[in-house]
Amino acid sequence: MTKIAVTVTHDFQLIPETIYQAWTQPEILKKWLFHDGELIQCDNQLETNGYFIFTDRRNGQDVQHIGHYLTLEKPNRLQFTWGVVDDLPASSLVTIDIQATPSGSQVTLTHQIDKQWETYVPQIKQSWAKMLQQIEDFVV
C-alpha cells in the first residue's frame, strides 16, 4: 500500500538526551503525552523489538495506543510502529530524529501513514506539533 509521510519539525531549548528521555521514560511521558486527556496507562519495554502501551482517557472513553520499538539510537533517533487497538491490524511508522543545535536540539518527526488516511494529514500534523510543543512546556 502507498505511504504518505507527515513531517513536523520543532526546535527545543533542551539537549538531545532530555528529548530522548521524554519519549522513552514512562514517568516523563506521563507529563506531556496526550496532555489534553488523562494518560491512565503508560508501559513500555525499552529495547529493540520491545513494546509500548499508552492508554489515553478523554471524555470518559479510553483509547489504547500500541507499538513496537524498531530503532533506539540514544540520544539521536527512535523509530517505532504506532497503532490504535481498535484499528488493528492497521499501524503506521513514526521516526524521530534528534539533532543537537547551538541552542538545544531540533526534532524532526516523520509519521508514515497509509494513503487511505490521507484526509487526516492536517489533523495528524497538528496533533504531533502540539505534542512536541508539550514536551517543551511540560518537561524540565
Side-chain angles (χ1 to χ4, degrees):
M1 183 168 272
T2 304
K3 300 285 184 183
I4 296 172
V6 180
T7 302
V8 178
T9 301
H10 188 90
D11 292 315
F12 288 90
Q13 293 184 353
L14 301 168
I15 62 173
E17 290 82 2
T18 301
I19 302 299
Y20 189 90
Q21 288 178 345
W23 282 98
T24 59
Q25 303 302 311
E27 65 276 2
I28 301 172
L29 278 159
K30 289 176 184 176
K31 293 180 181 181
W32 67 269
L33 188 64
F34 308 120
H35 200 269
D36 290 343
E38 178 187 1
L39 191 58
I40 62 169
Q41 180 182 14
C42 185
D43 298 321
N44 70 350
Q45 180 185 36
L46 191 60
E47 60 187 45
T48 302
N49 296 318
Y51 69 90
F52 63 82
I53 302 171
F54 307 135
T55 304
D56 176 32
R57 179 171 289 156
R58 290 186 193 189
N59 303 318
Q61 183 177 358
D62 293 350
V63 178
Q64 209 169 38
H65 303 268
I66 61 170
H68 286 93
Y69 296 109
L70 304 175
T71 304
L72 294 166
E73 297 172 5
K74 185 178 182 180
N76 299 110
R77 188 167 223 242
L78 295 104
Q79 189 174 56
F80 49 86
T81 61
W82 180 266
V84 174
V85 170
D86 292 344
D87 295 337
L88 290 176
S91 68
S92 53
L93 180 67
V94 176
T95 303
I96 300 164
D97 289 308
I98 309 165
Q99 298 301 316
T101 65
S103 62
S105 57
Q106 182 178 71
V107 171
T108 301
L109 183 149
T110 304
H111 190 164
Q112 294 182 26
I113 60 170
D114 288 332
K115 187 164 176 52
Q116 69 177 339
W117 304 108
E118 186 172 19
T119 58
Y120 292 97
V121 166
Q123 180 181 347
I124 292 168
K125 194 169 194 166
Q126 180 182 15
S127 293
W128 283 122
K130 185 174 184 177
M131 282 196 263
L132 290 175
Q133 181 60 52
Q134 288 176 174
I135 292 173
E136 189 83 59
D137 294 344
F138 296 104
V139 176
V140 178

